[in-house]
Amino acid sequence: MAHPTDLDIVNVTKRFGSHAAVDDVSFSVAPGEFFSILGPSGCGKTTLMRMIAGFEHPTSGDIRIRGKSMIGVPANKRPVNMVFQSLALFPMMSVGENVAYGLSCRGVSRAEAEARANRMLERVGLKGFGDRHVTALSGGQRQRVAIARCLVLEPTLVLLDEPLGALDLKLREHMKIELKQLQATFNTTFAYITHDQSEALVMSDRIAVMNQGRFEQVGSPRELYHSPATPFVASFVGETNRWQGEAAPASNGVVAMRLPSGAVLHGQGRAGQAASAFVRPEAVALAQDPSVLANLPNRFEGRVSAVLFDGAASSLLIDTAGFAEPVRAVLPQAGPLAGIEVGAPVHLGWTADAMKVFAA
Amino acid sequence: MSAKPAQRLTLFLLLAPAILWLGLLIVLPHVEILVLSFSERVAPRVYAFGFGNYLEFFTEPLYWRTFARTAAMSILVTAITLVLAFPIALYIARVAQGRLKAMLLLLCLLPFWVSELVRTLGWMILLRESGVIPYLLQAAGLAGRPVELLYNDGAVILGLVYGGLLFMIVPLANALESLEPAVVEAGFDLGGSRWTVLRRIVIPHAMPGIVAGCIIVFMLTVGNFATPVLLGGKNGLWFTEQIYAQFITRFNWPQGAAFGMLLLLLSSAIVWLGLRLTGQSLGTTLKQA
């Protein structure tokens, strides 16, 4: 009978001296899931991954793979394989030997290992590359060898430690899609760590946002983006406007927050004395005519201070009365506001639902 | 246009010390020895061209046996040095950090602050019948009477390995240091045992360093004179002693020159063979050394 989870992390803590790199973290990964751990560098995600791989040992807690505790099991006996940040291909071996290495470690005969390595190379689109030297491959090809080398062993879980970090932007975008497709075809459980929110959002089924050794929130990419549970998640995942002020509860779950300038904003969230409010740039509605925005609780007037053109990710910075810093909004590329220039006056507003307020 | 001759002169002047060094101290003496080795004494003070000195080598068993013994012992010494140096180099390169690393390298270097002669005499003090180790063996009840540990092959090998260790450790540690830690981890992660990782990843990576260290130690050992003479005594039977005897004791320079050329040929041939067997090129090996 199949175990309902591939990986269970139970109250794992790792201390280096008095510093807790991983602090009482628990989560489970279901079979076939693409699970990402997203966090800034130094948040403990690499330590967590190295504990799952078996290169570090937890100070307390348990790591279970398909229900079996991995405590005391050395790295070379775990049904887990890792794609390293540097890929760590074996430079002294050919592509085929790299892929066959794990099989021959398990005692598979040379001919059988070679045949299986070749079949695997074919599946990742590297047919006929077996005899090449690893240094003669492009970045994307090396990436695929590193993954093939793991998948050929049919592991329960593949760990990926920011493997796209070293690639240039274009290739990285391409590899994101390719990795996701590979994971879907092989139906292997992937645990992926990254500091790049776009990688995590695009590829993952579920994401854990990690900060200072703890999980801030675990959820689907949409949940994290639209309903962040903490101010850290709100500011780390995706672009956002952030304001500080004083909050007081208002009627029907709405919170009113007063900015230092005296301007009052209405949003959703918990009331506190000092508070932070977050609004996504795409939630900011723009109009030339103020009557269009009449039914929005937050309405302001401003003047465009900068146009940051970046294709689909373009944005506007709008100097707005009452705000210390310009408000960021998505650049309209169609409709009456398309082609808006620096200096143009504009009306802006957003709903109370679009603004998340947290106690600061 | 006028700059060109000046540039050439500068280049020539800069190269002159190196050319003089190579020419006067290495090439010229070897040419002289080569010429000398082909001269035979036909009458008192009369010399003629001939292969007699080389023929003498093959007809007198003492000579070629000493020659073969020197080659075999040197290979053995190189192998023992490699086996001893590898874990030390691995520790220095992969485990030790910062100050400890510098300290360990310094410790390897320390014995070389005194001359080879003094170091060898030190071993004699330890090993001779009335020396430290036989005394301790007797005191511990392991030997009934003082044992003579000097003047045998073991003592010669000990002394030569000791002298060669540093020259093996440095290129090995250099080679091992450049091995990316993640590559070793990947070796374990994919299911490799310690032995598999060592055999398939660490040793192949360190190969240029291994070959470089072996070449240096082998050359130093084959050409060593003081250690086999002092620690081996009459049983030392090192080929350099034969060369010394021909030049200094027998005053037969042409014979000594022929032996010298043979030793040069021997070490070159074994180095070449070693490079061929391990598939390394001299270029990459020299970079490691």
Side-chain angles (χ1 to χ4, degrees), chain A residues 20-21 44 127 180 203 227 255 258 271-272 301 322 348 355-356 358:
Chain A
K127 190 181 180 182
K180 178 80 189 153
M203 293 189 285
S227 336
V255 173
R258 185 183 296 276
E301 255 186 273
L348 59 152
M355 191 172 95
K356 310 288 171 209
F358 297 96

Side-chain angles (χ1 to χ4, degrees), chain B residues 23-93:
Chain B
L24 293 179
L25 295 175
I26 296 169
V27 178
L28 212 61
H30 276 89
V31 171
E32 177 65 28
I33 284 180
L34 184 68
V35 171
L36 197 59
S37 72
F38 285 111
S39 60
E40 265 177 82
R41 194 163 70 161
V42 286
R45 296 190 185 188
V46 183
Y47 291 89
F49 179 85
F51 295 96
N53 298 317
Y54 289 95
L55 233 63
E56 177 72 12
F57 170 80
F58 289 103
T59 45
E60 172 56 59
L62 175 69
Y63 295 152
W64 64 258
R65 278 190 188 156
T66 309
F67 188 78
R69 174 187 148 82
T70 305
M73 291 264 282
S74 297
I75 291 170
L76 181 66
V77 165
T78 307
I80 295 172
T81 313
L82 175 63
V83 170
L84 286 178
F86 199 86
I88 302 172
L90 201 61
Y91 187 86
I92 291 176

Side-chain angles (χ1 to χ4, degrees), chain B residues 118-167:
Chain B
V118 177
R119 268 183 285 133
T120 313
L121 288 170
W123 277 114
M124 292 180 78
I125 293 169
L126 289 175
L127 296 175
R128 69 175 178 200
E129 202 173 354
S130 55
V132 178
I133 293 172
Y135 172 80
L136 288 176
L137 283 176
Q138 201 184 358
L142 292 167
R145 54 163 77 199
V147 275
E148 179 61 89
L149 295 174
L150 268 183
Y151 312 127
N152 55 45
D153 286 356
V156 174
I157 290 172
L158 181 74
L160 289 169
V161 166
Y162 176 69
L165 218 45
L166 173 79
F167 301 97

Side-chain angles (χ1 to χ4, degrees), chain A residues 50 53 55 75-76 80-82 84 86 88-93 97 101-102 104-105 149-150 153, chain B residues 179-194 196-197 200-202 204-206:
Chain A
R50 289 175 63 80
F55 297 124
N76 53 6
V80 166
N81 294 116
M82 185 153 169
F84 287 80
S86 61
L89 299 181
F90 304 132
M92 62 291 289
M93 301 179 200
E97 284 170 334
Y101 171 86
S104 63
C105 286
R149 188 170 78 167
C150 292
L153 298 172
Chain B
L179 180 58
E180 197 193 330
V183 171
V184 177
E185 283 183 346
F188 285 115
D189 183 69
L190 294 164
S193 60
R194 276 169 184 275
T196 312
V197 171
R200 295 200 55 190
I201 295 165
V202 179
H205 178 86

Side-chain angles (χ1 to χ4, degrees), chain A residues 70-142:
Chain A
M70 287 293 125
I71 303 299
V73 178
N76 53 6
K77 299 269 188 283
R78 294 189 184 196
V80 166
N81 294 116
M82 185 153 169
V83 177
F84 287 80
Q85 186 165 17
S86 61
L87 301 185
L89 299 181
F90 304 132
M92 62 291 289
M93 301 179 200
S94 69
V95 170
E97 284 170 334
N98 262 278
V99 180
Y101 171 86
L103 292 170
S104 63
C105 286
R106 286 188 181 173
V108 174
S109 75
R110 184 184 280 264
E112 166 78 8
E114 199 179 322
R116 277 163 72 178
N118 283 334
R119 276 205 298 279
M120 180 52 66
L121 283 173
E122 201 175 328
R123 286 182 73 182
V124 297
L126 289 174
K127 190 181 180 182
F129 278 68
D131 292 330
R132 295 251 190 126
H133 205 258
V134 287
T135 49
L137 299 183
S138 71
Q141 290 166 337
R142 291 161 61 86

